[in-house]
Amino acid sequence: MRAIRMLRALAPLLAGAMLVGAAPLAGAVPASARQPDSVVRTEQGSVRGRTTADGRQFLGIPYAAPPVGPLRWRAPKPVTPWPGVRDATEFGHRCAQSSSWDPGYEDPTYTEDCLNLNVYTPTASAHEGHEGHEGHEGHEAREGRKLPVMVWFHGGGLTGGAGADVVPDTFAAKGGLVAVTINYRLGAMGFLATPGLGREAADRTSGNFGMQDQQAALRWVRANIARFGGDPDQVTIAGESAGGRSVCTHLASPTARGLFHRAIIQSGAYGDCGARDRRAANADGTAFAASLGCDDPATAVACLRGKPAKEIVEAQAGHDWGPVTGGSFLPEQPASAFAHGRYAQVPVLNGANSDEGTLFAFGAYDANGTPLTAAQYPQALRKAFGAETGEKALARYPLDRYSTPTLAYGASVGDQLMACPALRLDARLRTRIPVYAYEFADRTSPPFESLRDLGTDFAFGATHVNEVQYLFKHFGHDAPLNAEQRALSDQMTAYWTSFIRTGIPHAAGQPDLPDQRTRPGTVLSLRTASAGGNAPTSALHSEHLCDLWDAAAATR
């Protein structure tokens, strides 16, 4: 998967890639979809979706003009309205990206016409079927009230993935809400910054095209979601890994103000939600352009726009792709914005997984057929964290505490990369807004789709991405959860959907997620009944050795 390929290259980006190969817009509409309630008129034109047992699906709806030709590396533009009724029964193209080992992603795609989204809305009958989940969704639908909305940003290290990576139809039906998943430009197509592109930008800052796509999708939601039964004044943005980092970025982005009202960050606080400095991003982009033969500053932009997407994608490995500070989109680093109160004052649900790093350790070593050995372990830590911090980590993560060097290395990577940044984010935000903290800790959780049947000599545990299958469908189908895990899935769905509806995560008969304003540092550990069930803990800072990693982060 993309996380593993990126770790092979030792890049700092993260993955959450999981998904289905997306299909292009189709022709004939299946007879099963030709129902009166499956046609909705948006501001751009009518779309015909399909009806399932859980509700209605409207797939591949364009929310911005295709960013092709002269629109490549420009802020997203409005969609040209279309006549008639547009088929919305198939996923649209995913954005240009290289291949990975996820099912459906074995082959790269170089399609730039990809700015589309998917809407999942429950029907009254679907509500009634799940009314026992929280008790009022069916009544709400029957009364004709507008439903709260979740907009999901996919993971994939900002270089891969698509809105189709998860299918939240059952989640939406159980929670009595409308769910939206989106595509956004990735890698160099979404985050290239150069001086020439900066001169074209209204704020003189380039490199935020993918994030601007996400905000364009949010504006589409604000304008159109009421037509699908959603409430534009109750929008929650949510995402995992790079999607969670995107949420963190929008919290700090002045141009996102008013586009959302709650936020969910899953494994997204890595790097303290940091962005690239404009000068450094321009330097990296200039080097990228030169690698493609576009080294004349006077003609570099035109030269790059003339390159086939295939060349752009194939040249982007080894570069850092992500948001850029210095313009009106992101005037300052998110950590600075959070420290000074310059961010969206909305409730936040934030957390990480207990064994995040196992996936990355596997990707760095075992996936290459070269498992980490005890002899290699000290140098692996020095390489990952630098000489000084690596030596300290060697003393704090001794091999005799772990069954394999991979798990020892994974524990250090997960703590440094995910667990401790999540706790630091809680502390930064809780002074001004409600922050509800969790840790997904089902160490018996089945590896997500791409990691199954790999024959490793260790369990992945509650690793990166594994919690997502407890909320949504992977590849359009349910995860292979046992009865206890299914119960935990239902509880997590209740917490998440309650937060989306009310701003407070609650599950009947379960402890509440701790509010960091009144219980700072206390986190709800999400576990199966046989592992003790969901329980609050104040020990995560010490369990993840965050004194070491907080000190290291302070010196960056």
Side-chain angles (χ1 to χ4, degrees):
M1 71 169 299
R2 213 158 298 272
I4 290 172
R5 189 175 66 256
M6 279 184 277
L7 266 175
R8 289 174 182 162
L10 299 177
L13 300 177
L14 302 182
M18 306 160 279
L19 187 84
V20 299
L25 248 121
V29 180
S32 61
R34 295 183 185 137
Q35 303 178 29
D37 66 349
S38 65
V39 175
V40 173
R41 179 164 182 79
T42 73
E43 286 190 346
Q44 295 74 34
S46 295
V47 292
R48 176 180 282 111
R50 63 187 181 192
T51 301
T52 72
D54 281 312
R56 296 180 299 164
Q57 301 179 0
F58 300 85
L59 310 178
I61 304 173
Y63 66 83
V68 300
L71 297 186
R72 182 192 279 181
W73 294 310
R74 293 188 187 274
K77 304 299 181 184
V79 174
T80 300
W82 57 84
V85 179
R86 184 185 182 97
D87 175 33
T89 63
E90 301 286 345
F91 291 117
H93 297 290
R94 63 182 187 268
C95 291
Q97 56 193 275
S98 55
S99 62
S100 73
W101 68 343
D102 295 286
Y105 285 88
E106 296 86 356
D107 297 317
T109 179
Y110 307 116
T111 305
E112 296 180 71
D113 181 359
C114 63
L115 299 186
N116 56 77
L117 53 76
N118 313 299
V119 179
Y120 301 85
T121 175
T123 61
S125 59
H127 282 242
E128 291 159 6
H130 292 290
E131 227 174 318
H133 191 261
E134 283 289 327
H136 66 273
E137 295 90 347
H139 174 73
E140 196 168 78
R142 288 191 298 270
E143 292 297 313
R145 301 191 188 103
K146 297 299 182 185
L147 301 177
V149 180
M150 179 195 73
V151 179
W152 178 261
F153 304 134
H154 68 78
L158 300 179
T159 62
D165 287 2
V166 299
V167 176
D169 54 352
T170 302
F171 179 88
K174 286 183 176 181
L177 55 93
V178 175
V180 179
T181 68
I182 76 163
N183 290 352
Y184 53 93
R185 281 173 283 181
L186 303 165
M189 292 300 188
F191 299 98
L192 178 64
T194 72
L197 289 172
R199 287 190 290 272
E200 292 183 350
D203 63 356
R204 314 297 285 178
T205 303
S206 58
N208 289 312
F209 308 107
M211 294 292 160
Q212 291 172 319
D213 292 343
Q214 294 178 3
Q215 291 188 6
L218 292 175
R219 290 192 292 273
W220 184 96
V221 167
R222 183 174 60 188
N224 288 288
I225 206 64
R227 303 162 190 255
F228 295 86
D231 186 347
D233 295 321
Q234 289 194 74
V235 174
T236 298
I237 56 173
E240 185 270 343
S241 193
R245 180 188 182 184
S246 299
V247 172
C248 203
T249 300
H250 295 307
L251 282 170
S253 172
T255 57
R257 299 290 191 272
L259 294 177
F260 63 93
H261 312 90
R262 294 165 194 131
I264 299 174
I265 301 171
Q266 298 175 211
S267 304
Y270 60 90
D272 293 312
C273 302
R276 299 178 294 162
D277 171 77
R278 176 167 53 190
R279 180 176 298 179
N282 280 341
D284 185 62
T286 299
F288 175 79
S291 74
L292 286 165
C294 301
D295 51 4
D296 182 349
T299 61
V301 171
C303 176
L304 286 167
R305 286 200 173 111
K307 294 292 180 180
K310 183 175 187 290
E311 288 188 36
I312 301 292
V313 171
E314 290 178 348
Q316 68 186 24
H319 293 267
D320 182 11
W321 306 112
V324 179
T325 63
S328 59
F329 173 84
L330 196 62
E332 60 186 320
Q333 287 289 346
S336 173
F338 300 151
H340 296 94
R342 295 188 285 264
Y343 60 94
Q345 307 291 294
V346 301
V348 171
L349 191 159
N350 176 52
N353 298 351
S354 61
D355 305 304
E356 292 271 6
T358 313
L359 169 65
F360 301 109
F362 171 82
Y365 294 97
D366 299 68
N368 298 319
T370 56
L372 184 64
T373 67
Q376 295 170 326
Y377 181 64
Q379 182 57 27
L381 293 184
R382 298 186 193 105
K383 186 176 182 181
F385 309 122
E388 182 179 352
T389 302
E391 284 299 319
K392 293 178 180 178
L394 188 60
R396 302 291 295 276
Y397 295 86
L399 280 176
D400 59 10
R401 291 186 186 172
Y402 302 90
S403 58
T404 72
T406 295
L407 291 180
Y409 180 79
S412 67
V413 169
D415 291 351
Q416 183 267 346
L417 201 58
M418 295 290 188
C420 300
L423 295 176
R424 290 198 296 269
L425 181 61
D426 292 341
R428 287 185 173 119
L429 295 177
R430 71 188 180 214
T431 59
R432 292 179 173 87
I433 60 173
V435 181
Y436 301 95
Y438 76 89
E439 180 175 77
F440 175 74
D442 180 12
R443 288 184 160 135
T444 69
S445 60
F448 66 92
E449 188 77 17
S450 297
L451 299 182
R452 294 173 195 157
D453 304 320
L454 291 176
T456 61
D457 61 351
F458 57 86
F460 282 94
T463 196
H464 192 59
V465 183
N466 258 20
E467 90 286 4
V468 178
Q469 64 187 328
Y470 284 60
L471 298 168
F472 313 120
K473 295 175 182 175
H474 280 192
F475 312 100
H477 59 72
D478 293 315
L481 305 181
N482 62 30
E484 277 199 332
Q485 292 163 346
R486 182 57 58 192
L488 176 58
S489 170
D490 288 341
Q491 292 157 9
M492 290 173 60
T493 299
Y495 282 125
W496 263 242
T497 57
S498 170
F499 178 79
I500 292 166
R501 287 195 309 272
T502 69
I504 300 173
H506 173 76
Q510 298 297 312
D512 289 336
L513 266 69
D515 185 338
Q516 299 301 290
R517 296 173 300 176
T518 56
R519 303 173 69 186
T522 301
V523 174
L524 188 68
S525 179
L526 299 170
R527 302 173 301 200
T528 58
S530 60
N534 302 320
T537 175
S538 58
L540 292 191
H541 193 275
S542 59
E543 288 178 1
H544 292 292
L545 307 186
C546 291
D547 60 320
L548 169 65
W549 303 117
D550 290 351
T555 63
R556 287 202 300 263

